[in-house]
Amino acid sequence: MTTLSSTLATVTPTDKAYRLLRSTYTTVGSPSLILLPRSVDEVSEALTYAASTDLPVSIRSGGHGLSGSASNDGGIVVDLGALNTVSVTDPATGIVRVGAGARWSQVASALSPHELVISSGDHGNVGVGGLATAGGIGWLVRSYGLTIDHVRAATVVLPNGEVVRADAAEPDLFWAIRGAGSYVGVVTDFDIEAEHLPGLQVGQVMIEVDDAGTALRRWSEYMAEAPRELTMSGILTMSGSRVVLAMTAVVAEADPRAAAAMLAPLSNHRGTYRSPLTPARYTELMPPGHIHANLGQQATTTTNALFGRLTEASASALVEVARHRARPLLQVRGIGGAVNDIATDATAYPHRDAEVLVTATLFPPLGGRELGEAVAPMWPHALGAYRNFDSSPSSATFDRAFPGATGERVRELANRYDPDGVLSRTGGGPERKC
Ligand SMILES: Cc1cc2nc3c(=O)[nH]c(=O)nc-3n(C[C@H](O)[C@H](O)[C@H](O)COP(=O)(O)OP(=O)(O)OC[C@H]3O[C@@H](n4cnc5c(N)ncnc54)[C@H](O)[C@@H]3O)c2cc1C
């Protein structure tokens, strides 16, 4: 076993800070040692040390992951929280260097004075590292695509401690960190090309949904043709005995009149009601107030499915899920647009023909069994899944996130860059299946 230098900050169960660092958002952890590197070299040292033990190893950026894999019981956590610098490297090209330990609220605040935005998620407490190595689906996803689609380079510490620049000159590693990053290394910072967006508009849309799902299907058809400035995300839920789709519409357009024109066709749909649009800045969707400590406060069981344009069968299946007696929280997003400009094999996120993402969540005391039963009707219609919206990694979830040739390549590269399986020592089941 290697030894740790005296300069690398550590926290153990007897330290005061342990209470704030032991857990993730969804899961209370009891690691034996938390390492707090402040530089790339210290990340390398931390990872080399962790690899030399037989203990579980967790990598944590924001600690907001659903599976709780950013902590463990009895093992080592490498917490990148101190690597949270966000700097606009080149305002002209929009290239921004973002530390993996930053939260997306911090990123939005740092970019705001430059009128720059990065398509990320929809909650500001989510960490950069976990999201930007897997996908990144949020308020601007139809306009600008996934976060990974804008990553131009990254610094990666491999499980053997080697530091590598992943960019177009290192095609395999660069491919893997854009969708399957956690299998190959620890990304410490990303160079991301931000977009110029001086303002946007936000509104609410409510759609009454019939049991046949006709209204859902009509919404999906509308989204398929809608300008890509428009992203909509919301919940499919029961209101009394009826099912409603309650959505937030974000329009990446500074001109209120142009934005309103983009939403106008929705008013022709029967049973659809919408509020006027309100001008907003990206920081208002991702406010600093989102940031909080992660104390295991939100236990959930979550899964998700990606769909093409909704059909009669898939739309009515979703209504059936919404009506299930377990009452899963169903989040529905329109996700086509710029996401689908990228070739299926260009990154380790292959789902470039999906148009709708549905995430289903249950809260304790209900768990995996009840969720499995509730969402069963949707699987026959699903194209795949987004790995970051699944709380129980397994072979099945791996295959849904990385189907076919993508999965083969992910496994091959995981074996090449992490031959000893250091990064899969957190547990989480046979997700890697190498
Ligand atoms: C309330 C909530 C809202 C969410 N909203 C969105 C959303 O809108 N859009 C979206 O796309 N996702 C969303 N997510 C999912 C989110 O993308 C993942 O949870 C993501 O992993 C969180 O990033 P993190 O850095 O906080 O992860 P952490 O919990 O720190 O890490 C989770 C896992 O990611 C991997 N990982 C973390 N950092 C690195 C790194 N630097 N290098 C390599 N691997 C790493 C590790 O395997 C780690 O175990 C949400 C999750 C929650 C709980």
Side-chain angles (χ1 to χ4, degrees):
M1 197 164 78
T2 61
T3 49
L4 284 174
S5 71
S6 57
T7 50
L8 180 58
T10 61
V11 169
T12 61
T14 54
D15 290 322
K16 228 173 157 189
Y18 186 76
R19 191 182 71 82
L20 292 173
L21 291 170
R22 61 187 291 183
S23 300
T24 72
Y25 182 53
T26 62
T27 311
V28 175
S30 302
S32 61
L33 178 64
I34 302 165
L35 301 173
L36 299 165
R38 281 162 298 198
S39 66
V40 177
D41 285 346
E42 286 194 345
V43 174
S44 171
E45 181 189 348
L47 202 51
T48 310
Y49 174 78
S52 74
T53 69
D54 290 330
L55 298 173
V57 178
S58 292
I59 308 303
R60 179 188 302 160
S61 288
H64 218 77
L66 282 156
S67 72
S69 59
S71 192
N72 58 55
D73 293 324
I76 297 172
V77 173
V78 179
D79 185 319
L80 306 177
L83 302 180
N84 63 356
T85 309
V86 183
S87 52
V88 179
T89 320
D90 182 354
T93 59
I95 295 291
V96 182
R97 181 157 292 181
V98 187
R103 311 285 175 96
W104 284 104
S105 281
Q106 289 173 264
V107 178
S109 298
L111 300 194
S112 171
H114 304 275
E115 297 186 335
L116 293 174
V117 297
I118 295 173
S119 174
S120 54
D122 53 19
H123 199 281
N125 196 53
V126 169
V128 167
L131 180 135
T133 50
I137 296 176
W139 293 123
L140 298 173
V141 70
R142 286 188 78 252
S143 311
Y144 304 127
L146 307 175
T147 311
I148 57 170
D149 299 340
H150 296 267
V151 172
R152 301 291 172 249
T155 307
V156 185
V157 179
L158 300 181
N160 66 4
E162 191 186 341
V163 179
V164 182
R165 191 80 182 139
D167 57 17
E170 194 70 48
D172 282 340
L173 190 61
F174 189 47
W175 180 86
I177 61 154
R178 291 173 297 154
S182 64
Y183 298 107
V184 293
V186 177
V187 178
T188 58
D189 57 69
F190 303 80
D191 284 356
I192 303 180
E193 191 172 340
E195 301 284 339
H196 183 248
L197 183 65
L200 47 81
Q201 316 292 323
V202 181
Q204 305 302 320
V205 178
M206 179 78 84
I207 302 174
E208 291 172 351
V209 176
D210 52 299
D211 280 356
T214 313
L216 265 185
R217 198 159 42 82
R218 214 182 305 128
W219 167 77
S220 172
E221 279 161 12
Y222 163 73
M223 288 305 290
E225 304 300 328
R228 58 178 53 186
E229 285 85 350
L230 173 64
T231 296
M232 283 177 86
S233 171
I235 56 169
L236 184 64
T237 187
M238 298 289 295
S239 170
S241 60
R242 316 192 63 163
V243 178
V244 295
L245 182 61
M247 308 289 271
T248 296
V250 173
V251 189
E253 167 60 62
D255 176 0
R257 279 206 291 200
M262 292 179 202
L263 267 185
L266 261 186
S267 304
N268 301 327
H269 292 195
R270 225 181 65 205
T272 296
Y273 313 93
R274 63 188 182 88
S275 72
L277 290 168
T278 310
R281 294 166 71 94
Y282 196 53
T283 41
E284 290 170 76
L285 295 174
M286 225 32 104
H290 274 185
I291 295 180
H292 56 71
N294 292 318
L295 307 169
Q297 63 268 54
Q298 187 60 87
T300 59
T301 308
T302 296
T303 191
N304 75 95
L306 290 157
F307 300 88
R309 198 159 314 171
L310 295 180
T311 60
E312 250 173 68
S314 58
S316 62
L318 290 177
V319 177
E320 193 182 339
V321 176
R323 283 196 173 280
H324 189 272
R325 64 181 179 286
R327 294 286 184 269
L329 177 68
L330 284 186
Q331 190 174 24
V332 177
R333 298 165 185 257
I335 58 161
V339 178
N340 297 353
D341 289 346
I342 307 292
T344 302
D345 61 357
T347 67
Y349 177 95
H351 310 287
R352 301 299 182 163
D353 49 359
E355 295 185 13
V356 176
L357 169 62
V358 176
T359 307
T361 299
L362 282 181
F363 300 89
L366 303 183
R369 189 176 55 78
E370 291 88 352
L371 186 65
E373 198 186 293
V375 300
M378 76 181 184
W379 292 129
H381 313 285
L383 301 177
Y386 173 43
R387 65 177 299 217
N388 267 13
F389 281 148
D390 210 299
S391 58
S392 310
S394 67
S395 295
T397 58
F398 181 99
D399 290 342
R400 284 201 282 264
F402 304 110
T406 306
E408 290 309 310
R409 192 168 176 196
V410 171
R411 288 191 187 101
E412 184 209 322
L413 295 176
N415 281 329
R416 187 194 309 170
Y417 289 106
D418 185 21
D420 300 326
V422 175
L423 298 171
S424 59
R425 271 205 242 144
T426 310
E431 189 187 10
R432 184 166 133 186
K433 213 173 72 175
C434 291

